[in-house]
Amino acid sequence: MGTYQEALVARLRVLQLAEAPAPWRLAGTISIGGFEALGYSSDSRHLLIVSSSGRGVFESGTGERVARDSANAPEVWYNLEALTVEGIGPLSGQLIGVAGIHGGGLPRVSMDGWVVELLSPDWPKSFVTLSPPGSSPWIQEHAQSVVKVAPIGGDDDVKCFGFSWSRQHLVVATSHTVDLFVR
């Protein structure tokens, strides 16, 4: 490994978990057993989460659960090929695109330039950083403004992360928790 790579890895290793920088804040953490996938409604007001025990719909800004379905027939409502899930509760009748352990993805850059990235200086352990517009964990001069925001619960593997469609919400999911950030 060259000098640049060694310095980069050393810089990333010392990043400490910290509060999200303003205007972002942690809105809540949802405990989920057996996380599989999640997806935002088209208006970003709701977050659909799929776990090994069914589907749940949560308010994106608070983490409050508004609907739950523990039906064990995912082959009926979860299309693994298209990565879509039939909504329940306020999302009933809608197909929600999801990201998670089977693939898919969420936006990684906000409309005003905030960037969320998954970093693994000590692979397979990984963490998520949030960088303000114009900053990057890859550039030494920007290192002070990059913040490690998740996983909050420790060394859990990150399964999914990204912004909502409105870019006003940020989510980080592990196998056990879903951390919600808002601005």
Side-chain angles (χ1 to χ4, degrees), residues 68-156:
R68 177 78 174 112
D69 176 9
S70 57
N72 287 334
E75 63 277 359
V76 173
W77 46 262
Y78 192 174
N79 184 331
L80 288 174
E81 188 174 301
L83 293 173
T84 58
V85 173
E86 290 181 21
I88 58 171
L91 303 179
S92 185
Q94 298 179 42
L95 279 179
I96 305 298
V98 295
I101 64 172
H102 300 292
L106 295 169
R108 306 277 170 90
V109 179
S110 72
M111 300 297 188
D112 58 350
W114 287 86
V115 178
V116 62
E117 296 185 71
L118 182 69
L119 302 176
S120 303
D122 294 309
W123 187 87
K125 292 182 180 183
S126 59
F127 55 86
V128 174
T129 60
L130 181 60
S131 303
S135 295
S136 169
W138 309 108
I139 301 172
Q140 184 172 352
E141 293 77 23
H142 298 176
Q144 299 301 325
S145 62
V146 175
V147 177
K148 176 180 172 181
V149 293
I152 293 170
D155 289 334
D156 259 349

Side-chain angles (χ1 to χ4, degrees), residues 24 57 92 105 131 158 173 175:
W24 295 95
V57 176
S92 185
S131 303
V158 174
S175 57

Side-chain angles (χ1 to χ4, degrees):
M1 190 179 319
T3 304
Y4 169 78
Q5 288 88 358
E6 289 171 356
L8 174 63
V9 169
R11 189 169 67 248
L12 296 178
R13 280 184 177 144
V14 299
L15 281 174
Q16 297 295 311
L17 188 64
E19 287 186 27
W24 295 95
R25 66 174 175 78
L26 178 66
T29 297
I30 303 167
S31 295
I32 301 290
F35 171 83
E36 291 188 21
L38 59 76
Y40 283 99
S41 59
S42 59
D43 64 4
S44 299
R45 288 187 53 222
H46 295 100
L47 179 67
L48 175 78
I49 300 176
V50 178
S51 72
S52 58
S53 59
R55 297 172 281 186
V57 176
F58 300 82
E59 291 285 341
S60 297
T62 65
E64 177 186 350
R65 185 170 65 191
V66 295
R68 177 78 174 112
D69 176 9
S70 57
N72 287 334
E75 63 277 359
V76 173
W77 46 262
Y78 192 174
N79 184 331
L80 288 174
E81 188 174 301
L83 293 173
T84 58
V85 173
E86 290 181 21
I88 58 171
L91 303 179
S92 185
Q94 298 179 42
L95 279 179
I96 305 298
V98 295
I101 64 172
H102 300 292
L106 295 169
R108 306 277 170 90
V109 179
S110 72
M111 300 297 188
D112 58 350
W114 287 86
V115 178
V116 62
E117 296 185 71
L118 182 69
L119 302 176
S120 303
D122 294 309
W123 187 87
K125 292 182 180 183
S126 59
F127 55 86
V128 174
T129 60
L130 181 60
S131 303
S135 295
S136 169
W138 309 108
I139 301 172
Q140 184 172 352
E141 293 77 23
H142 298 176
Q144 299 301 325
S145 62
V146 175
V147 177
K148 176 180 172 181
V149 293
I152 293 170
D155 289 334
D156 259 349
D157 290 334
V158 174
K159 303 294 184 191
C160 177
F161 68 101
F163 293 109
S164 66
W165 306 119
S166 69
R167 310 311 200 272
Q168 299 300 304
H169 307 94
L170 169 63
V171 64
V172 179
T174 69
S175 57
H176 305 294
T177 61
V178 175
D179 297 322
L180 301 172
F181 300 86
V182 296
R183 63 173 172 167

